[in-house]
Amino acid sequence: NAGVTQTPKFQVLKTGQSMTLQCAQDMNHNSMYWYRQDPGMGLRLIYYSASEGTTDKGEVPNGYNVSRLNKREFSLRLESAAPSQTSVYFCASSEASGGASTQHFGDGTRLSIL
Amino acid sequence: GENVEQHPSTLSVQEGDSAVIKCTYSDSASNYFPWYKQELGKRPQLIIDIRSNVGEKKDQRIAVTLNKTAKHFSLHITETQPEDSAVYFCAAREKSPNKLIFGTGTLLAVQP
């Protein structure tokens, strides 16, 4: 049982390049999330998908797009990378229920944009 | 929307002492408050959580208290050990489907 798997683990890009961060979960969770983590800023929500077929903006969506490919996979795309997008990106998933449920995180992708 | 403030940003204690981290939230409709621990270079992991119908919850050396009237909640770690050294994040769940808003984190250093 791998939980939440993110690829790649590290990536260096040049300004203006594009790339897609991949995330997959094997816990049959309905909801998935993308966060970025910057020093002193905590975890900030970029986009989330409450269920398959739906996506919504979080706190910091500008410069990003997402795709909920199926129930297992939720990808994050940077169309034209900027140095301000240098960060650690975490994907998470949780069961969707009437009550609160735990979010499980992947190991993160460390992205540097030169 | 929800806003979560967390204090202190850094905390240094001697091994065996207690540590307390405090968070405040703005949305009185928030009803779920988890705490995550993140060791250096690792993923955040849930260590304890509390729902709005409960005032206190304990799990061995860690406890969380919630004051709904004042809209604040706290993490208490007793008998701290060096392996407790990490960044701790509080969060509050907005009323929208299971969306968490995180505090900015507290770096806890336990000195042996």
Side-chain angles (χ1 to χ4, degrees):
Chain A
N1 189 346
V4 179
T5 303
Q6 291 183 234
T7 56
K9 295 188 185 306
F10 303 92
Q11 185 70 50
V12 179
L13 293 178
K14 294 181 179 178
T15 297
Q17 287 185 317
S18 63
M19 82 160 295
T20 299
L21 307 185
Q22 307 287 352
C23 176
Q25 53 91 8
D26 61 4
M27 295 173 284
N28 202 35
H29 286 169
N30 288 307
S31 300
M32 298 184 74
Y33 313 82
W34 276 105
Y35 294 90
R36 62 177 289 173
Q37 185 174 33
D38 302 293
M41 302 290 287
L43 291 153
R44 293 184 293 169
L45 184 64
I46 306 171
Y47 271 92
Y48 67 102
S49 172
S51 61
E52 186 178 357
T54 69
T55 61
D56 287 285
K57 295 178 180 179
E59 301 169 79
V60 289
N62 291 344
Y64 305 95
N65 285 301
V66 290
S67 295
R68 185 73 184 267
L69 305 170
N70 48 56
K71 191 172 185 179
R72 291 187 63 248
E73 298 172 289
F74 188 39
S75 63
L76 178 72
R77 182 162 178 82
L78 287 70
E79 289 292 351
S80 179
S84 61
Q85 294 177 304
T86 293
S87 188
V88 180
Y89 291 84
F90 285 99
C91 177
S93 70
S94 68
E95 295 182 37
S97 65
S101 59
T102 303
Q103 290 194 13
H104 299 262
F105 286 81
D107 286 332
T109 294
R110 285 147 183 82
L111 181 62
S112 293
I113 299 160
L114 307 177
Chain B
E2 177 65 276
N3 182 51
V4 177
E5 295 190 357
Q6 183 171 348
H7 300 280
S9 56
T10 60
L11 179 60
S12 181
V13 300
Q14 292 294 316
E15 183 176 359
D17 287 350
S18 295
V20 180
I21 303 169
K22 299 181 180 181
C23 290
T24 61
Y25 60 99
S26 60
D27 186 355
S28 57
S30 292
N31 61 2
Y32 173 64
F33 308 91
W35 286 88
Y36 284 81
K37 176 183 179 182
Q38 186 179 29
E39 297 177 354
L40 186 63
K42 301 287 184 66
R43 67 179 76 181
Q45 292 194 296
L46 180 75
I47 55 171
I48 195 167
D49 56 13
I50 191 166
R51 297 168 195 256
S52 58
N53 59 348
V54 175
E56 183 176 6
K57 184 176 178 181
K58 290 182 179 180
D59 182 3
Q60 298 182 345
R61 295 187 297 108
I62 61 172
V64 57
T65 58
L66 171 65
N67 182 328
K68 287 194 299 180
T69 303
K71 289 189 284 187
H72 69 70
F73 56 113
S74 300
L75 178 71
H76 304 253
I77 306 174
T78 59
E79 301 173 19
T80 53
Q81 301 168 3
E83 52 264 39
D84 294 328
S85 296
V87 178
Y88 292 81
F89 293 97
C90 64
R93 177 181 169 236
E94 279 197 334
K95 205 172 181 182
S96 61
N98 208 14
K99 187 172 72 171
L100 293 179
I101 303 299
F102 284 83
T104 51
T106 296
L107 174 60
L108 173 64
V110 180
Q111 308 297 332

